Amino acid sequence: REEKDMHPYSVVSLPEKIIIVHNVLGIDKKDLKITRKIEKNKVYLVIEGHTKDTFTGKEYSISSTLQIDETQLNIENISCNMKNGLVYIVIPKKQIKKLDNTTAIKITQLD
């Protein structure tokens, strides 16, 4: 698995969005918290969680902070899904209006 302890996440860039895949193995969904934080005019995703396994008695925790480029990404519409020990954070890319190659400009008469 690419998302290991020393490098717990990977980023998949698609034309319309990015997906951050983060290892949260051992963390219960109810104990996982993902927040968006603005600090010194920079946007960060903070991923935190702590779970104690009742069967083994072992404790699992996660604490990651990732900087997000709000000029390219729509940080207002972030969504998250969790499956098989991984959390998938989906951030849409901002839509940039594509300009036509040639556009006629109307000329008006000055009086």
Side-chain angles (χ1 to χ4, degrees), residues 41-111:
N41 294 324
K42 295 184 180 181
V43 179
Y44 298 93
L45 276 184
V46 180
I47 304 165
E48 299 174 305
H50 181 87
T51 299
K52 183 173 182 175
D53 185 77
T54 55
F55 184 72
T56 64
K58 290 184 180 183
E59 294 186 16
Y60 298 90
S61 64
I62 182 84
S63 180
S64 292
T65 302
L66 309 170
Q67 186 176 347
I68 303 298
D69 182 3
E70 80 274 15
T71 63
Q72 300 291 316
L73 301 171
N74 185 347
I75 61 171
E76 299 299 319
N77 293 317
I78 297 173
S79 63
C80 300
N81 297 300
M82 192 169 167
K83 182 178 180 183
N84 298 329
L86 298 172
V87 66
Y88 299 87
I89 304 165
V90 180
I91 309 173
K93 291 182 179 177
K94 287 186 175 177
Q95 299 298 317
I96 299 171
K97 187 176 179 182
K98 201 172 186 181
L99 298 175
D100 294 332
N101 288 344
T102 305
T103 304
I105 300 170
K106 184 179 177 180
I107 302 171
T108 59
Q109 182 72 33
L110 292 175
D111 293 328

Side-chain angles (χ1 to χ4, degrees), residues 6-46:
M6 294 304 290
H7 187 71
Y9 69 92
S10 60
V11 178
V12 178
S13 184
L14 300 172
E16 69 282 352
K17 61 188 166 192
I18 68 161
I19 302 170
I20 299 169
V21 182
H22 202 296
N23 179 358
V24 292
L25 188 63
I27 306 297
D28 194 302
K29 181 181 172 184
K30 68 177 175 46
D31 298 328
L32 186 65
K33 183 170 108 175
I34 300 173
T35 55
R36 186 181 69 220
K37 179 170 92 170
I38 299 172
E39 189 174 280
K40 297 181 182 179
N41 294 324
K42 295 184 180 181
V43 179
Y44 298 93
L45 276 184
V46 180

